Amino acid sequence: MEASPLIEEIENLKNSFLQVSDRLVKDISRQEKIMLRSDRRQKKEYDELQRKFAEVAALQQEIEETQKEVIFTMGAIGESRSKETGNHVKRVAEYSRMLALHYGLTEAESEMIKQASPMHDIGKVAIPDLILNKPGRFNEAEFEIMKTHAQIGYDMLKHSNRPLLKMAATIAYEHHEKYNGTGYPQGTYGENIHIYGRITAIADVFDALGSERCYKKAWEDEAIFNLFREQSGEHFDPKLVAIFFKHLDSFLLVRRQFADQF
Amino acid sequence: MQDLVIEQTQYTPAISMLTEGKISLIGKSYPENTFEFYKPVIQWLNSFFEEGSVDSLSVTFEIIYFNSSSSKVFFDFFDVLNLNKEDKNIHVIWQHDVDNESALEAGEDFVDDFPDLNITIKTTD
Ligand SMILES: [Fe+2]
Ligand SMILES: [Fe+2]
């Protein structure tokens, strides 16, 4: 028959077309299967990652909370040795944060100052009870011993690599420096005193004067304000004194919020 | 033919293909160009079946995480094994960590897709 070679050729074409299309169909359906499985697998892995991230975040928070608590406790120990009340620490912390923020430091740095400032008197753990608990004024020799708490506090904290403890070391070291250079332990002046030290100085004194202690009555507000005006540029950084008066209402609000209960 | 050994990186597994008939892929598989990366692997496998003189081949997969393209390459890899299962005694071990469920499921998928291959799933505690 004449048509048979043609038919044979067509048959062959048909067969190879069927083979190729078979393989294509198989490949395509395999491809779909692979994508489906990959999607399912990757979703699982994504869920797993999310779970781990959440775990890490929780741990991170735990660490931060612990750090805050340790630091706060250290501050409270320092203050318990210095005839101050627990709320003094909280108020100084909050005043320091506000001063830092209005001075132009970032939110994060201001928050750190809030956490570090309560440790300013940690060095007092090394001052003998006899001197610490003495009612009334110190004599000169006693005052010299008292003054060492700044250096001692610094020595306690300076070896840490933690940013917060480094900041606390600076604060412990410089919170008794005065803007005019007559403070201690170094007698540095002006902006050579670290801003952390200048901030804590004003926060600490404002609170100490306004609080009643076993050895003294609380000062009247007017007397405190007069002293601040007088000491602007002497004891205190004038910029910070200006900030203090500009935002006086919010400072007084914090003082009421964290008032001591008797 | 020679052994093929590829060191592990952050994104690619440690690969060892020995002419004595031992293959292992261990680690993660997120290559930047997956098909390029696995080209020598598939090539080696093909020449092993063409030229290799040993009778058996043992393959260990211990892949923790892998991208979709790797999954396609592993399919191709199993295809080659499947084509040659009559000529050599092939044993595949799919190893996964006890709490890596998705690696276990991937292994089970290969068992389903290649019912004639000798694949064992092993769990590491
Ligand atoms: Fe002090
Ligand atoms: Fe204080």
Side-chain angles (χ1 to χ4, degrees), chain A residues 120-121 124 146 149-150 172 175-176 184 204:
Chain A
H120 60 270
D121 272 340
K124 285 189 182 170
M146 196 56 206
H149 81 276
H175 75 282
H176 285 292
Y184 65 85
D204 191 33

